[in-house]
Amino acid sequence: MSAFEFAKEWYKAQGVDVCAAMDAVAKIPVSMHCWQGDDVMGFEGDSMGASGGILTTGNYPGRARNAAELRADIEKALSLIPGTKKVNLHANYAELNGKKIDRDAYTIDEFTGWVDWAKANNVGLDFNTTNFSHPMAASGFTLSSPDEKVRKFWIEHGKRCREIGEEFGKRLGKTCVINHWMPDGYKDVPEDTVGPRARMVAALDEIFNAKEISEEYLLDGVESKVFGIGVESYTVGSHELMMGYALSRNKMYTLDAGHFHPTEKISDKIGAILQFMPRVLLHVSRGIRWDSDHVVALDDELQAIMNEVATNNYQDRVCIALDYFDASLNRVAAWGIGMRNAQKALLRAFLRPANIREAEYAGDYTARLAMQEAYKVAPFSAIWDEYCQRQNAPIETEWFKQVQDYEKNVQFKRI
Ligand code: RNT
Ligand code: ZN
């Protein structure tokens, strides 16, 4: 009996259909963030890298320095990952081709290189406004700036990004999910906590009211955050502001795993929020003591997030995107590790035996705990390898060797 056959029987004895689980997982898109590939630098030239409370640390050699290199690295990463993938772009990955235009004037023309590439690679594109790493964001405020000129610039940027996202949706035939995150806030304690929030709400309204876009092409999310580096005292786009905004304006609320107090878990928020909104957008990340954006590991919280999706049948209401940036590791490996872990956790979630819930419904919490613990040592690895093979992705002991070859033959030759 093969390891897979043995494992399949093990799950069957728990009432789990392994093949049905694989089929379900294979359909769920997971969006891979382009910005892990180049430390959030983008293509605009004279990039400052991440700013606005976020920080990439490390200087592992071989970073992609232009669109061709970044796309090659993404293609390599995608080949290592099973399942349905999307690629998540930021507005600062525009290709200006010598044009002298700024973010308030970008159009789909600056992204046709990406669209053609996405078509050729059969992936959908997601998008993000880039309200950081820009002179107009130097004050620390964008949509909530008291300076009308600054505010207008970022409002126009938001409008342009939605138009670009709509085109992604139309041209690729796959709905584009766009995230709006604004780093706006104060290092020190403000006197006026309300003014910036009122301005941000009004600015977001202007962006969204400028154009109604069919949900077939575009879905908008607004992301909250508790604090960032240099923005420790006050964040305009707090949990209450963004959740209230999303609820009242029929937008998605973006839950980033690193954007809450360290003992708060977004896994516990998904089912609560979905009582009130049709959809939620996840930024799957791994914060260590703060919003550190470490590579996603197969830890309890990742599993808990995916369990929420699978056991509640939320796969059509939860958009899954990854969000981290670690420059201390091989960047293609960082994608491979995080994306494969997201897929593993999803698959494990779809393999979860219903009898654990049944024990809970019967009030037998002893059995529930015993079964939860037993499930932790289920023979998952054989199922995972089989899933990878069915998806034409390398098995767990193989994929990293491919990164090592790529590093040697491609990435390290860039230096
Ligand atoms: C920052 C937010 C935001 C960014 C990306 C690059 O704290 O999480 O989503 O990480 O837009
Ligand atoms: Zn995020």
Side-chain angles (χ1 to χ4, degrees), residues 66-305:
N66 51 51
E69 290 179 356
L70 186 63
R71 285 182 195 131
D73 289 0
I74 294 175
E75 281 174 38
K76 184 72 214 173
L78 293 177
S79 76
L80 303 171
I81 301 157
T84 301
K85 282 96 56 179
K86 292 175 92 184
V87 170
N88 204 358
L89 300 180
H90 239 285
N92 63 334
Y93 290 78
E95 292 175 273
L96 303 181
N97 300 317
K99 255 198 234 171
K100 291 264 172 292
I101 51 170
D102 210 338
R103 290 185 197 167
D104 58 341
Y106 289 175
T107 68
I108 189 67
D109 292 348
E110 283 67 60
F111 291 90
T112 49
W114 280 114
V115 171
D116 294 343
W117 174 87
K119 265 190 202 148
N121 287 277
N122 193 28
V123 289
L125 291 177
D126 292 326
F127 204 43
N128 294 262
T129 65
T130 308
N131 294 48
F132 54 83
S133 305
H134 192 280
M136 284 296 239
S139 68
F141 288 86
T142 63
L143 289 184
S144 69
S145 170
D147 180 341
E148 196 180 337
K149 206 169 129 247
V150 171
R151 219 164 55 240
K152 284 276 167 232
F153 177 87
W154 292 110
I155 289 170
E156 291 309 308
H157 176 59
K159 291 181 192 169
R160 295 299 84 72
C161 285
R162 293 187 75 239
E163 291 158 2
I164 293 163
E166 178 184 20
E167 283 302 312
F168 286 171
K170 282 186 179 162
R171 295 185 188 196
L172 297 170
K174 296 186 173 89
T175 311
C176 170
V177 172
I178 183 168
N179 185 51
H180 302 256
W181 171 66
M182 287 66 63
D184 303 28
Y186 284 114
K187 182 181 179 75
D188 231 322
V189 183
E191 285 294 313
D192 178 8
T193 61
V194 171
R197 291 197 167 124
R199 287 194 292 272
M200 184 172 284
V201 168
L204 284 170
D205 280 347
E206 250 191 78
I207 292 171
F208 294 125
N209 292 338
K211 189 168 188 196
E212 194 170 325
I213 299 175
S214 160
E215 291 196 340
E216 194 187 332
Y217 304 127
L218 188 76
L219 288 169
D220 293 279
V222 290
E223 184 176 16
S224 74
K225 185 162 177 171
V226 65
F227 81 95
I229 301 179
V231 200
E232 288 87 355
S233 296
Y234 168 81
T235 291
V236 182
S238 60
H239 163 68
E240 290 76 7
L241 195 83
M242 291 330 215
M243 176 144 165
Y245 192 87
L247 256 181
S248 58
R249 269 61 168 186
N250 194 28
K251 301 293 165 208
M252 283 188 292
Y253 179 38
T254 306
L255 283 174
D256 184 300
H259 285 199
F260 294 86
H261 289 284
T263 55
E264 259 183 285
K265 305 281 178 227
I266 66 161
S267 52
D268 188 41
K269 300 178 189 296
I270 297 168
I273 288 166
L274 288 181
Q275 299 303 310
F276 304 104
M277 318 188 175
R279 287 188 192 83
V280 69
L281 169 57
L282 301 184
H283 268 191
V284 180
S285 189
R286 179 165 58 107
I288 297 198
R289 306 189 207 292
W290 67 288
D291 180 38
S292 59
D293 289 295
H294 279 67
V295 177
V296 165
L298 186 58
D299 58 13
D300 288 350
E301 173 59 359
L302 178 68
Q303 194 58 61
I305 290 169

